Amino acid sequence: MTRYYKPELDILRFCAFLFVFFTHRLDLAPIDQAEYYWGYHLSLVGVFGVPLFFFLSAFLITELLTKEQELFGRISVKSFYIRRILRIWPLYFTFFFVMVIVTKFSDKFGQISSDTQFAFSFFSGNWYITFKGWLASYPINPLWSVSVEEQLYILLPLILFFTGKRGLLIFSYLALFIAYAAIIYYAQRPTKGFSGEWTNSFVQFQFFAAGILFSLYMKGWQPKWPVMVRIAMFVGGIVCWLIASIACEVHADAPHLSTILQAITGWWLILSGVIFFFLSLYGAEEKYMPRVLAYLGRISYGLYVFHITIFWFVYHIYKKELDAFSKLIGAHEWRNNVGFIIAFVVTVVIAMLSYSFFEKPFLRLKKKFTLIRSRD
């Protein structure tokens, strides 16, 4: 069976998770912007790790589906859907409905309404948040991005099956046009509160479109750039995000007071940063890709699903215990950083256990419907 595996994409996934992890720490353990200006802003732009996830997903799936079409003359839409269900649904629905049950018996995790349950059960949770705002149950909020990805997974194989690569090109350019039309719409309606722009599928689909276009136009080409060029690109990605956040004032759910020019420029810089990150590692020789980081990228789905709940435990539910432990080790002034380390270690351990003992059985079933073998 033909195999397509790029360990650098897994490492990029782990980078995307780390970006998001740093950002979500700010929700419960804020960093003083005046005292730690760059630490605050570097953490704030980590939210753009979500678009990096979107880009990587679209790129990889386009690569696999187009290779399947080239080898077999057509793609199996049914097999694709089964593969995605086996990869995404078990952990997603188990986590979500466990949280639903927990919130019925405890008020420590907020409440999950019947409307919320309906929306997230049918992968429209991002639209629910877009129009209703962030959820009262904090640990559920990150699942909005899974809804957006599932919406792509429904569309992508159908477009390729019925219209081929030409159809994918048209879809991608149309998605980019609609994304920036939506961005202009939000820029014309500035708000000091949550605007819904960040969780809007039309806005976020620009990153899927870019991933698809890169796959179609690169046609298997892999850059063999020197290490210093790759480092410069990685740094360039961070710079793009910082400019988008600081100068253009484009944030996830912070006040949106950008002008139309700022908004367009800011989102274009976010996309440019995603592309820089991708190009900084794509095509790098496998022998230089640390296996540990590739493994952490492999379990990044679990890391993403669990991390914010662990933050909630560390910084909210067990806040007093964190204070006591920090005093015990003589690091009370750095208790938030101590909590950050504890949260990261616990998140990694739980994600590893989930991957090994819960997700892997479904991944083994997934192989029966796999035509182009990837890392799983």
Side-chain angles (χ1 to χ4, degrees):
M1 181 186 293
T2 301
R3 186 171 188 262
Y4 179 91
Y5 175 56
K6 301 291 182 186
E8 66 267 32
L9 298 185
D10 274 335
I11 293 176
L12 279 169
R13 279 194 182 89
F14 179 59
C15 289
F17 164 73
L18 277 182
F19 289 138
V20 174
F21 192 73
F22 273 89
T23 290
H24 284 158
R25 170 246 165 88
L26 294 179
D27 292 344
L28 301 174
I31 296 173
D32 187 341
Q33 181 180 355
E35 188 175 358
Y36 303 103
Y37 182 84
W38 289 112
Y40 170 81
H41 282 288
L42 285 169
S43 296
L44 188 63
V45 300
V47 72
F48 302 143
V50 174
L52 180 55
F53 270 125
F54 290 160
F55 179 98
L56 293 172
S57 293
F59 177 84
L60 180 59
I61 287 174
T62 304
E63 286 282 285
L64 293 174
L65 286 178
T66 53
K67 287 182 184 302
E68 180 181 328
Q69 187 180 57
E70 289 166 4
L71 280 173
F72 301 100
R74 59 185 295 177
I75 64 168
S76 172
V77 176
K78 176 184 175 181
S79 294
F80 175 84
Y81 286 152
I82 293 173
R83 292 196 301 271
R84 288 297 88 199
I85 288 171
L86 290 172
R87 182 66 190 104
I88 303 297
W89 289 22
L91 181 58
Y92 175 88
F93 283 114
T94 300
F95 176 80
F96 180 71
F97 284 108
V98 164
M99 290 305 302
V100 169
I101 294 170
V102 168
T103 56
K104 296 291 184 183
F105 298 97
S106 173
D107 60 358
K108 292 184 177 181
F109 297 92
Q111 297 298 315
I112 302 175
S113 67
S114 57
D115 287 346
T116 303
Q117 292 178 40
F118 181 84
F120 279 80
S121 295
F122 290 93
F123 297 107
S124 57
N126 70 300
W127 287 114
Y128 184 86
I129 293 173
T130 296
F131 295 110
K132 300 283 189 177
W134 293 115
L135 306 176
S137 180
Y138 181 74
I140 298 301
N141 281 310
L143 297 184
W144 72 268
S145 65
V146 181
S147 292
V148 179
E149 289 213 24
E150 286 294 286
Q151 291 159 27
L152 173 76
Y153 297 153
I154 291 171
L155 292 173
L156 192 56
L158 293 176
I159 295 170
L160 184 59
F161 182 84
F162 288 109
T163 65
K165 292 181 181 179
R166 181 178 176 82
L168 279 184
L169 287 171
I170 295 171
F171 166 78
S172 299
Y173 285 118
L174 182 61
L176 285 169
F177 174 80
I178 293 173
Y180 282 87
I183 288 165
I184 292 171
Y185 170 87
Y186 281 107
Q188 291 175 323
R189 294 160 179 80
T191 174
K192 290 185 178 181
F194 178 70
S195 69
E197 181 179 20
W198 179 247
T199 55
N200 189 309
S201 294
F202 294 128
V203 174
Q204 295 293 345
F205 258 52
Q206 65 178 295
F207 303 105
F208 291 137
I212 293 168
L213 289 173
F214 263 76
S215 174
L216 293 176
Y217 283 121
M218 291 179 81
K219 298 179 179 179
W221 175 75
Q222 298 182 58
K224 299 299 179 183
W225 290 314
V227 173
M228 291 309 297
V229 172
R230 294 185 181 279
I231 292 174
M233 286 187 169
F234 196 91
V235 173
I238 295 174
V239 171
C240 284
W241 286 1
L242 285 171
I243 296 173
S245 178
I246 298 172
C248 298
E249 301 181 67
V250 176
H251 306 132
D253 54 2
H256 289 260
L257 301 174
S258 304
T259 64
I260 291 176
L261 180 60
Q262 279 181 302
I264 292 174
T265 303
W267 280 100
W268 177 80
L269 284 167
I270 295 168
L271 177 57
S272 298
V274 166
I275 293 169
F276 273 129
F277 284 121
F278 171 72
L279 293 175
S280 72
L281 281 185
Y282 187 64
E285 292 187 50
E286 186 171 346
K287 64 181 179 181
Y288 296 122
M289 299 295 102
R291 291 185 179 181
V292 172
L293 297 183
Y295 173 77
L296 290 171
R298 185 175 299 180
I299 65 171
S300 60
Y301 179 38
L303 292 172
Y304 182 81
V305 168
F306 294 122
H307 80 281
I308 207 162
T309 304
I310 305 305
F311 269 143
W312 188 253
F313 272 108
V314 172
Y315 287 125
H316 184 74
I317 296 177
Y318 290 107
K319 183 178 181 179
K320 291 181 180 179
E321 288 79 1
L322 175 61
D323 282 347
F325 177 71
S326 299
K327 286 180 181 177
L328 181 65
I329 64 174
H332 189 252
E333 291 186 10
W334 300 93
R335 60 189 178 280
N336 287 338
N337 294 324
V338 172
F340 180 86
I341 294 169
I342 292 172
F344 178 77
V345 172
V346 173
T347 300
V348 169
V349 170
I350 292 176
M352 288 172 64
L353 292 173
S354 171
Y355 183 79
S356 297
F357 300 106
F358 180 71
E359 298 166 61
K360 266 193 173 180
F362 295 102
L363 295 178
R364 283 193 285 268
L365 290 174
K366 177 173 169 271
K367 290 180 180 178
K368 297 179 181 179
F369 304 93
T370 299
L371 299 173
I372 305 293
R373 193 160 62 95
S374 59
R375 60 173 159 82
D376 293 324

